């Protein structure tokens, strides 16, 4: 059974960098699939952040691209999110997920982590 | 404002059927058969219910079905049950500049 688990700080100050790691068990990242991040502000809808293949090729939400880095560590079976210069608008539950795709056309998110709340506040 | 438009809420009585619409454009829903639907209970992660427009993952009840016409995708839940009460989100591939778009979500209330 594929399982994903997010980890990282839950509280940040404005202008800091948000860093989260997703640890995957039950499946080897290097075997395939895209892996990505989705966030959900409190009481609001889902927003795709970005996705990365195990080889390192990735795609980012254009609205976040200038602040965003997603990386994959196949040796640890993990992938990570770094979002710089955070503001209160980045407060959200952050989910990691496995992504089905047809080439680079993303189809669906089939396995999700439980999510982790990140709050940005001074 | 979300890229895909869903009704904010729908409701139905146990045993009834409901349909949730998801309206996009010719750049996303209308151009690709890559619409997926997610169920989210309060405090939980989303769960994939429908992918590539109409396919159900293993373990998802056949009471859930998906379809598409033009720029609008739809999720139908038949034989409503109390446990179906949740938020539902649609999602579509949107080409190589935008990639992925979600709907704003629909709250389903089982009366």
């Amino acid at each position: 059974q594929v399982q994903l688990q997010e980890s990282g700080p839950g509280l940040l100050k404005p202008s800091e960098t948000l860093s989260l790691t997703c640890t995957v068990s039950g499946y080897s990242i290097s075997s395939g699939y895209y892996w990505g991040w989705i966030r959900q502000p409190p009481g609001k809808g889902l927003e795709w952040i970005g996705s990365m293949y195990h080889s390192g090729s990735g795609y980012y939400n254009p609205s976040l691209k200038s602040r965003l880095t997603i990386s994959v560590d196949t040796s640890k079976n993990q992938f990570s999110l770094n979002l710089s210069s955070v503001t209160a608008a980045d407060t959200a539950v952050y989910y990691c997920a496995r992504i089905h795709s047809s080439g680079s056309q993303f189809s669906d998110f089939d396995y999700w982590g439980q999510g982790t709340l990140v709050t940005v506040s001074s | 404002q979300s890229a895909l438009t869903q009704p904010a809420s729908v409701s139905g009585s146990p045993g009834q059927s409901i349909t949730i619409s998801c309206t996009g454009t010719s750049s996303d829903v209308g151009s690709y058969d890559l619409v997926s639907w997610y169920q989210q209970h309060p405090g939980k992660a989303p769960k994939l219910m429908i992918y590539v427009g109409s396919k159900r993952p293993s373990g998802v009840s056949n009471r859930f079905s998906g379809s598409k016409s033009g720029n609008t995708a739809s999720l139908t839940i038949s034989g409503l049950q109390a446990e179906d009460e949740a938020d539902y989100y649609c999602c579509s591939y949107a080409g190589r500049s935008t990639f992925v778009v979600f709907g704003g979500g629909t709250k389903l209330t089982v009366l």
Side-chain angles (χ1 to χ4, degrees), chain A residues 38 40 43-49 51 58-62 95 99-100 102 104-115, chain B residues 2 32 34-36 38 40 43-48 50-52 87 89 91-93 96-105:
Chain A
I38 303 98
Q40 184 172 35
K44 297 187 178 181
L46 300 168
E47 179 183 30
W48 173 70
I49 297 172
S51 303
Y59 302 93
Y60 294 165
N61 185 321
Y95 295 100
I99 303 159
H100 270 126
S102 176
S104 62
Q105 295 188 354
F106 300 134
S107 167
D108 56 86
F109 304 88
D110 63 345
Y111 288 97
W112 296 65
Q114 65 185 25
Chain B
S2 300
Y32 306 98
L34 294 172
V35 174
S36 52
Y38 302 87
Q40 186 180 36
K44 300 294 187 181
K47 174 187 176 184
L48 177 65
I50 295 289
Y51 65 103
V52 296
D87 294 326
Y89 293 90
C91 177
S92 176
Y93 179 69
R96 290 184 64 83
S97 58
T98 306
F99 298 106
V100 176
V101 290
F102 280 98

